């Protein structure tokens, strides 16, 4: 150091700062101290409200620096970190910054030594302040204040920052809410923006800020609804939103009940969609037995019995064709066999006409129970809902994995849905195979009961198309057999 | 039927949006409301305004315009055949909600998605209209993320890009076969076609911006996508492969992984169990390895086990290091940055600090300890001036030594 002015040895200097966050004032003092060659261990820095020092009661006059004193050097990185670190609430921050500045004069590279304890510390302060600032940007919650009718809306927030960050972050709120009138109140000071100018005010108390805002009900509802109870991760939330911030965030009051209720809500979610099937039965007989007990959907609760598919039990007699209808009707339910009622008789007629031997095919339904509404003594057929078809699909898949058809013919939209898991248009899909993932083929056609509902020319037309589909299936079966 | 109140509809349509993993509001062009008539700013880095107890950040008002849907995707609570309660908002209602939340500093902006109603075009029009009202009528300068509908008219999708900061198109499932099985109304080619179109539009807008200062901004935060994990049989290797192809082919900013969570009224073809959250976490870690640590997708796949999945008990970086022990120890005083980045326990920041510090001193183990979170984890894989881990690296039980102890259920860690 080349301070020419003699410095009194062992003198301590106590520097009083007027603001806890005023970097420029600190810099001016620090510069003078360096130029007067005052080593860090002989300076005490005192912020407003801070305690004094054992050696110096008042601010001792600094020695006068000579005109020829070398300029004080500081790396850009130091200045950048120091500007932010000085906002920290640690009373030792000024001394740390001065020590580093002092060391920078002898070793301009000191800031690049990441393992140096002083460098580590200033980075830590900087990081804490950045985090606090970031949390302020995030966790300030404005409330709308009642104002006189014609005046602009006024939004007021109460916030308790950990460090002296309010003024340094005013710009963020000005840029974001430039055309809004707002105030941020803190225990240290307050800020007011009227759309044009920023005014600093005195410290405030929590009671100075408004206590509620009807929009908070909406916000809390949103917060509770966007939370997925099946993904509870309280630790992750606590890391990012520590409890100390909660008291000023309207949504935080919900956290305990959301956490407490999460497991219950999750099991409800699972239970609401749950279909606890046991292991898939390995024989058709086992399926039939289990079907009688199936209550996975509302149809099972009706007074009916289940109707199992039927077909040849020997491999030689099986042509490889599986025919899937919609669901058993009244007569099927009473007989306990598929396709014995009017639609079944019509199907038999067409199969015979085309030359398909029904007894060589496995005939079953997408839904295994009869769905109906009771009208007097009559049970009126009801189409199964998509959900019911999807549920019963499990049984159909079980049958299919045992029967192992080469070709599946579904009749009607419900049956097609049971195979594909989606609703297809019969008109568009008929006449060509749909390849299934196991290598078998799916052909779709209309349901014979549809034909029963038609008359005259329309019925003739549909009957002709139905025959054409059956004929195509027959031809394809023959090809597959070779 | 009488219309439900705003708050009831908010509950339904926010609940319907909770399965969407994306929340980011980062990476867009800087803007603020100085000199404008409205409110809002974006400063590059997004802000998480709150965290839900599921650990996820709440940065945007994430909503569905409606949860009515003509599609029938099995993993989706809003599918046509689901019995879930339905509701819808008008664009104006969404705008009002967004602005009143934004003014109170609850959010960074809006993330709007929707079930498909009437037609893809009709739905897309409503999404675009919401963004238009925000931007044009209210001069809103906050963040807008729009989910685009792949089947919609490209002109509509283009308009979405003009209003939004980010657009996303969900690939939904990692394999085409999974998509066929679980999202029968969707089409992989159409989805990727839409992503390709979006990539071209973003690139073109960037070029124009270079040449003409007043060229309109187009989705300055780029495009992202979401994949559902655990609903089908795809392995982690499949997923990593798919993600890296998406990054390469479509210049995506992010691929989000959403662990399939049980949905009420689920379809019978889906697994009903707790979502594989750890698996999702491992996938995000592998995503980071590719995006920030210089790992090739093939290298991440090397870290998978025989079944094609990443180990759940240790992170993928450690898994890779244990498989390629010959690459270690790495000398912290001499090794290249690339090699240092391979050391389990050393993050990008720690590596940068090591590289900066070693210009000034030869690092000892203590020095490294000061720069890392846990030296125990790092020690077996590095050499320093006073440290060689010869015995440790070859130990057969190294994995057991380094794997974290089984933790208590997260519920009780609060």
């Amino acid at each position: 150091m080349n301070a020419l002015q003699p410095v009194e040895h062992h003198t301590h200097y106590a520097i009083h700062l007027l603001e806890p966050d005023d970097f420029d004032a600190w810099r001016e003092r620090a510069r003078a101290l360096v130029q007067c060659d005052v080593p860090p261990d002989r300076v005490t820095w005192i912020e407003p409200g801070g305690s004094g020092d054992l050696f110096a009661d008042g601010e001792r006059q600094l020695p006068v620096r000579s005109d020829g004193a070398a300029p004080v050097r500081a790396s850009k990185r130091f200045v950048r970190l120091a500007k932010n670190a000085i906002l920290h609430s640690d009373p030792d921050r000024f001394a740390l910054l001065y020590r580093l500045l002092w060391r920078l004069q002898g070793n301009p590279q000191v800031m690049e030594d990441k393992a140096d304890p002083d460098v580590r510390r200033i980075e830590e302060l900087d990081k804490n302040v950045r985090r606090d600032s970031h949390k302020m940007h995030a966790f300030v919650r404005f409330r709308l204040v009642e104002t006189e009718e014609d005046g602009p809306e006024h939004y007021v927030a109460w916030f308790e920052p950990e460090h002296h960050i309010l003024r340094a972050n005013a710009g963020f709120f000005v840029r974001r809410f430039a055309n809004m009138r707002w105030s941020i109140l803190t225990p240290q000071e307050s800020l007011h923006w009227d759309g044009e100018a920023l005014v600093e005010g005195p410290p405030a108390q929590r009671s100075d800020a408004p206590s509620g805002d009807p929009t908070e009900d909406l916000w809390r509802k949103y917060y509770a609804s966007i939370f997925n109870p099946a993904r509870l991760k309280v630790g992750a939330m606590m890391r990012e939103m520590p409890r100390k911030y909660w008291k000023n965030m309207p949504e935080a009051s919900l956290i305990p009940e959301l956490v407490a209720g999460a497991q219950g809500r999750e099991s409800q979610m699972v239970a609401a969609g749950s279909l606890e099937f046991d292991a898939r039965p390995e024989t058709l007989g086992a399926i039939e037995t289990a079907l009688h007990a199936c209550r996975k959907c509302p149809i099972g609760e009706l007074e009916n019995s289940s109707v199992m598919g039927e077909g040849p039990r020997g491999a030689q007699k099986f042509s490889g064709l599986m025919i899937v209808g919609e669901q058993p009707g009244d007569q099927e339910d009473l007989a306990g066999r598929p396709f014995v009622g009017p639609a079944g008789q019509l199907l038999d007629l067409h199969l015979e006409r085309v030359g398909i031997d029904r007894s060589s095919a496995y005939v079953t339904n997408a839904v295994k129970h009869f769905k109906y509404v009771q009208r007097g003594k009559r049970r009126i057929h009801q189409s199964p809902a998509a959900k019911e078809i999807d549920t019963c699909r499990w049984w159909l898949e079980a049958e299919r994995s045992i029967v192992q058809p080469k070709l599946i013919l579904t009749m009607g939209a419900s049956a097609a849905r049971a195979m594909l898991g989606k609703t297809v248009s019969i008109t568009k899909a008929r006449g060509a195979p749909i390849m299934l993932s196991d290598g078998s083929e799916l052909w779709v056609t209309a349901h014979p009961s549809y034909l029963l509902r038609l008359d005259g020319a329309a019925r003739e037309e549909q009957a002709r198309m139905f025959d054409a589909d059956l004929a195509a299936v027959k031809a394809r079966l023959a090809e597959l057999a070779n | 039927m009488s219309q439900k109140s705003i708050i009831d509809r908010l509950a339904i349509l926010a609940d319907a949006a909770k399965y969407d993993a994306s929340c980011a509001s980062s990476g867009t062009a800087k803007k603020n409301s100085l000199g404008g008539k409205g409110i809002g700013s974006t400063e590059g880095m997004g802000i998480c305004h709150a965290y839900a107890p599921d650990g996820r950040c709440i940065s945007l008002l994430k909503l569905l315009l409606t949860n009515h849907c003509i599609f029938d995707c099995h993993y989706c609570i809003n599918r046509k055949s689901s019995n879930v309660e339905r509701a819808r908002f008008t664009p104006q209602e969404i705008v009002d909600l967004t602005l009143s939340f934004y003014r109170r500093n609850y959010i960074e902006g809006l993330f709007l998605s929707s079930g498909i109603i009437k037609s893809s075009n009709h739905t897309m029009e409503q999404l675009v209209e919401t963004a238009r009202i925000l931007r044009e009528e209210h001069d809103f300068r906050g963040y807008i993320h729009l989910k685009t509908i792949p089947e919609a008219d490209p002109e509509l999708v283009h308009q979405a890009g003009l209003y939004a900061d980010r657009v996303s198109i969900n690939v939904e499932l990692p394999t085409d076969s999974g998509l066929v099985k679980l999202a029968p109304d969707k089409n992989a080619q159409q989805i990727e076609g839409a992503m390709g179109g979006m990539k071209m539009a973003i690139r073109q807008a960037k070029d124009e911006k270079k040449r003409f200062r007043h060229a309109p901004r187009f989705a300055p935060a780029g495009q992202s996508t979401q994949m559902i994990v655990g609903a089908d049989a795809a392995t982690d290797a499949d997923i990593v492969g798919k993600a890296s192809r998406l990054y390469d082919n479509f210049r995506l900013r992010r691929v989000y992984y959403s662990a399939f969570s049980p949905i009420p009224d689920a379809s019978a073809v889906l697994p009903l169990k707790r979502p594989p959250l750890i698996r999702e976490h491992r996938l995000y870690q592998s995503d980071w390895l590719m995006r920030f640590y210089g790992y090739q997708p093939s290298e991440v796949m090397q870290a998978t086990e025989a079944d094609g999945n990443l180990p759940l008990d240790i992170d993928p970086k450690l898994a890779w290091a244990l498989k390629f022990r010959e690459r270690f120890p790495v000398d912290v005083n001499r090794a290249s940055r690339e090699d240092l980045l391979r050391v389990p326990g050393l993050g990008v920041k720690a590596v940068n600090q090591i590289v900066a510090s070693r210009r000034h001193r030869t690092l000892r183990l203590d020095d490294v300890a000061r720069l890392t979170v846990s030296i125990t984890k790092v020690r077996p894989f590095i050499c320093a001036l006073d440290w060689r881990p010869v015995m440790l690296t070859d130990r057969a039980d190294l994995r057991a030594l380094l794997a974290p102890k089984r933790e208590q259920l997260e519920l009780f860690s609060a």
Side-chain angles (χ1 to χ4, degrees):
Chain A
M1 296 269 86
N2 56 354
L4 300 174
Q5 197 72 18
V7 176
E8 289 173 59
H9 292 294
H10 311 300
T11 308
H12 266 84
Y13 297 94
I15 310 293
H16 289 266
L17 295 159
L18 297 176
E19 300 284 354
D21 60 346
D22 191 343
F23 177 75
D24 292 334
W26 172 85
R27 176 160 63 181
E28 197 186 310
R29 296 305 176 81
R31 227 183 233 156
L33 286 163
V34 168
Q35 290 187 316
C36 294
D37 202 15
V38 180
D41 58 0
R42 286 205 277 121
V43 189
T44 306
W45 300 83
I46 302 159
E47 62 183 307
S51 57
D53 133 292
L54 293 175
F55 304 99
D57 300 331
E59 186 159 332
R60 200 176 295 258
Q61 197 69 36
L62 278 180
V64 182
R65 86 196 107 152
S66 75
D67 294 339
V72 177
R73 291 183 304 185
S75 64
K76 271 190 189 152
R77 186 176 158 69
F78 170 78
V79 176
R80 191 165 54 77
L81 288 175
K83 272 185 175 166
N84 209 40
I86 207 163
L87 308 179
H88 201 279
S89 54
D90 181 355
D92 292 335
R93 64 194 182 280
F94 306 107
L96 168 74
L97 298 183
Y98 184 64
R99 195 160 60 240
L100 271 166
L101 183 67
W102 175 266
R103 292 178 59 196
L104 273 166
Q105 307 313 306
N107 174 13
Q109 306 294 315
V110 83
M111 293 303 294
E112 282 161 50
D113 184 355
K114 306 294 176 195
D116 180 277
D118 282 344
V119 175
R120 300 283 301 160
R121 182 65 188 149
I122 189 176
E123 288 192 338
E124 207 178 306
L125 296 184
D126 168 63
K127 192 174 151 195
N128 292 342
V129 169
R130 274 189 289 125
R131 185 176 160 88
D132 202 32
S133 298
H134 188 75
K135 295 303 178 200
M136 179 177 172
H137 296 171
F139 298 155
V140 156
R141 297 280 181 266
F142 284 115
R143 283 168 167 162
L144 185 58
V145 190
E146 295 273 336
T147 43
E148 58 282 19
E149 268 183 32
D150 295 336
E153 290 183 325
H154 185 197
Y155 292 86
V156 179
W158 168 252
F159 192 69
E160 296 168 57
E162 195 172 329
H163 306 294
H164 306 284
I165 57 168
L166 180 64
R167 274 192 290 187
N169 286 292
F172 170 83
F173 292 93
V174 169
R175 289 189 296 278
R176 172 155 293 191
F177 303 109
N179 300 295
M180 211 167 88
R181 187 177 154 215
W182 52 262
S183 302
I184 301 176
L185 313 180
T186 80
Q188 291 79 32
E189 54 195 322
S190 51
L191 279 180
H192 308 275
W193 172 259
D194 63 0
E196 281 168 11
L198 193 65
V199 179
E200 289 176 20
Q205 288 178 342
R206 194 177 191 162
S207 55
D208 298 336
S211 57
D213 183 329
T215 302
E216 284 174 7
D217 290 340
L218 282 170
W219 174 240
R220 271 191 291 265
K221 183 61 92 177
Y222 174 73
Y223 181 80
S225 307
I226 201 71
F227 156 58
N228 186 348
R231 302 180 54 110
L232 194 66
K233 271 185 173 176
V234 179
M237 171 188 68
M238 301 291 285
R239 253 195 316 284
E240 300 297 339
M241 196 170 72
R243 225 180 264 272
K244 66 180 177 192
Y245 295 107
W246 291 14
K247 59 179 184 287
N248 297 321
M249 300 171 70
E251 65 274 26
S253 61
L254 296 175
I255 293 171
E257 72 182 272
L258 289 178
V259 172
Q263 279 200 327
R265 279 177 69 195
E266 186 204 350
S267 25
Q268 250 177 18
M269 276 163 76
V270 174
S274 173
L275 295 164
E276 281 180 18
F277 286 107
D278 300 329
R280 184 180 270 183
E282 284 173 10
T283 65
L284 293 173
I287 294 177
E288 185 160 14
T289 313
L291 263 180
H292 286 302
C294 180
R295 300 287 180 270
K296 306 292 183 199
C297 78
I299 308 179
E301 305 285 352
L302 293 170
E303 211 167 287
N304 55 20
S305 56
S306 63
V307 177
M308 180 67 181
E310 63 179 27
R313 300 273 160 152
Q316 290 87 359
K317 290 171 73 186
F318 183 47
S319 63
L321 172 65
M322 175 160 146
I323 300 176
V324 184
E326 186 190 45
Q327 65 164 341
D330 188 53
Q331 295 190 26
E332 282 83 6
D333 180 47
L334 296 173
R337 290 187 53 212
F339 283 101
V340 293
Q345 287 158 18
L346 186 63
L347 173 66
D348 288 344
L349 192 76
H350 282 274
L351 288 173
E352 207 170 313
R353 194 189 294 170
V354 172
I356 295 176
D357 177 9
R358 173 169 162 172
S359 66
S360 74
Y362 185 84
V363 180
T364 190
N365 280 304
V367 172
K368 307 300 179 192
H369 284 95
F370 174 40
K371 184 178 180 183
Y372 61 89
V373 286
Q374 192 82 40
R375 292 260 167 75
K377 288 187 177 172
R378 292 180 61 210
R379 301 192 294 177
I380 310 293
H381 162 272
Q382 297 282 297
S383 283
K387 169 93 179 163
E388 291 153 356
I389 298 169
D390 290 347
T391 305
C392 217
R393 189 176 174 187
W394 193 83
W395 295 113
L396 183 65
E397 291 293 328
E399 274 181 294
R400 184 180 153 203
S401 73
I402 296 167
V403 174
Q404 296 193 338
K406 288 186 214 136
L407 194 153
I408 301 164
L409 175 69
T410 59
M411 303 188 300
S414 298
R417 185 186 168 93
M419 288 309 307
L420 293 170
K422 65 174 172 179
T423 307
V424 290
S425 151
I426 300 296
T427 324
K428 283 186 198 155
R430 72 195 307 171
I434 298 169
M435 297 307 293
L436 298 177
S437 56
D438 65 352
S440 59
E441 288 179 16
L442 173 69
W443 291 67
V444 301
T445 186
H447 199 277
S449 61
Y450 171 58
L451 273 61
L452 285 176
R453 292 196 296 272
L454 298 172
D455 289 316
R459 177 160 182 176
E460 271 173 40
E461 167 70 7
Q462 283 299 323
R464 195 188 52 73
M465 286 169 73
F466 190 59
D467 283 342
D469 287 341
L470 292 181
V473 162
K474 187 188 175 201
R476 184 62 187 148
L477 265 180
E479 275 177 40
L480 290 172
N482 294 327
Chain B
M1 195 178 72
S2 65
Q3 173 74 288
K4 295 184 191 81
S5 68
I6 291 269
I7 196 162
D8 290 342
R9 285 182 284 149
L10 179 66
I12 293 170
L13 293 170
D15 188 276
K18 75 183 174 205
Y19 306 96
D20 221 307
S22 163
C23 71
S25 53
S26 303
T28 189
K30 289 189 180 181
K31 45 188 189 278
N32 62 55
S33 49
L34 294 170
K37 297 196 308 280
I39 50 163
S41 64
T42 49
E43 306 206 338
M45 205 169 57
I47 297 173
C48 300
H49 286 260
Y51 290 82
D54 52 19
R56 296 197 292 180
C57 132
I58 299 176
S59 147
L60 302 169
L61 172 60
K62 196 153 57 169
L63 279 181
L64 260 60
L65 196 57
T66 175
N67 63 343
H68 290 275
C69 192
I70 57 173
F71 281 8
D72 210 0
C73 307
H74 288 276
Y75 51 82
C76 181
I77 175 142
N78 304 316
R79 70 185 190 287
K80 187 173 63 176
S81 56
S82 159
N83 290 327
V84 73
E85 194 175 3
R86 309 282 173 169
R88 64 188 295 180
F89 276 128
T90 63
Q92 187 62 51
E93 285 167 335
I94 300 256
V95 166
D96 294 342
L97 268 176
T98 307
L99 291 175
S100 59
F101 282 2
Y102 199 92
R103 287 196 190 102
R104 288 160 180 81
N105 201 38
Y106 300 161
I107 50 169
E108 287 289 288
L110 174 67
F111 175 8
L112 191 59
S113 176
S114 182
I116 317 269
I117 31 164
K118 289 188 190 162
S119 67
S120 300
N121 278 347
H122 173 79
T123 309
M124 197 67 228
E125 274 166 20
Q126 301 275 302
L127 294 172
V128 170
E129 173 65 3
T130 311
R132 186 200 66 78
I133 300 176
L134 274 171
R135 290 282 196 239
E136 291 186 352
E137 294 179 17
H138 297 276
D139 194 17
F140 176 68
R141 300 184 183 182
Y143 198 92
I144 299 180
H145 178 157
L146 292 181
K147 178 72 54 79
T148 62
I149 318 278
E151 298 81 8
D153 187 332
E155 180 49 36
L156 280 169
V157 176
H158 192 264
Q159 279 182 35
L162 289 174
Y163 292 123
D165 291 275
R166 172 168 287 180
V167 290
S168 58
I169 302 164
N170 284 359
V171 299
E172 311 291 10
L173 291 155
T175 60
D176 288 359
S177 60
L179 195 72
V180 170
K181 183 164 166 249
L182 297 179
D185 303 303
K186 298 211 168 183
N187 175 327
Q189 280 171 336
Q190 204 163 31
I191 291 170
E192 300 210 352
M195 283 183 174
M198 191 57 78
K199 178 185 85 168
M200 298 300 286
I202 291 172
R203 186 191 286 168
Q204 195 182 343
K206 270 205 181 118
D207 282 354
E208 281 168 12
K209 194 86 195 160
K210 273 183 212 149
R211 277 177 285 157
F212 311 108
R213 207 160 58 85
H214 295 292
R217 282 190 178 127
F218 187 91
Q223 64 169 327
S224 63
T225 194
Q226 168 171 301
M227 235 187 273
I228 294 160
V229 173
D232 64 356
T235 64
D236 289 347
D238 294 336
I239 295 168
V240 168
K242 177 77 176 186
S244 80
R245 279 195 301 282
L246 291 172
Y247 278 124
D248 287 350
N249 294 349
F250 305 113
R251 299 271 144 239
L252 295 182
R253 285 293 184 83
R254 281 297 296 275
V255 174
Y256 289 94
Y257 305 98
S258 174
F260 172 74
S261 52
I263 50 175
D265 202 33
S267 153
V269 295
L270 284 175
L272 273 157
K273 51 187 179 197
R274 293 211 60 184
L277 294 183
I278 284 286
R279 187 175 173 204
E280 178 190 288
H281 182 59
R282 297 293 178 226
L283 285 165
Y284 275 119
Q285 287 176 323
S286 71
D287 207 59
W288 277 68
L289 291 183
M290 292 190 286
R291 291 194 300 146
F292 301 110
Y293 287 77
Y295 284 69
Q296 294 301 311
S298 56
E299 291 178 305
V300 174
M301 290 181 204
Q302 285 167 348
T304 59
E305 297 183 324
D307 62 358
N309 288 325
L310 293 165
L312 293 178
D313 58 335
I314 54 174
D315 66 74
K317 195 176 178 190
L318 179 57
W320 187 89
L322 289 172
K323 274 198 176 172
F324 296 93
R325 293 190 193 196
E326 69 278 8
R327 300 274 299 261
F328 300 94
V330 165
D331 186 338
V332 291
N333 287 305
R334 284 189 198 83
S336 66
R337 190 168 175 277
E338 289 68 36
D339 285 344
L340 284 170
L341 283 171
R342 300 268 158 164
V343 175
L346 287 189
V348 173
K349 214 172 139 198
V351 167
N352 289 343
Q353 288 183 329
I354 287 172
V355 172
S357 299
R358 70 189 186 186
R359 289 194 213 114
H360 305 278
R361 58 171 83 199
T362 309
L363 298 170
R364 295 171 173 275
L365 195 62
D366 277 354
D367 297 320
V368 180
R370 275 197 288 274
L371 301 174
T372 55
V373 177
S374 157
I375 191 68
T376 332
K377 204 176 165 195
V378 176
R379 210 160 44 187
F381 300 98
I382 58 165
C383 298
L385 183 60
D386 57 348
W387 170 257
R388 290 196 76 78
V390 189
M391 296 303 288
L392 211 48
T393 322
D394 293 334
R395 280 177 68 152
D397 60 349
L398 185 55
R399 175 174 174 149
L401 283 178
L402 293 173
K405 302 288 165 281
R406 278 194 177 280
E407 280 175 26
Q408 268 280 24
L409 272 178
E410 280 158 346
L411 181 64
F412 303 105
S413 67

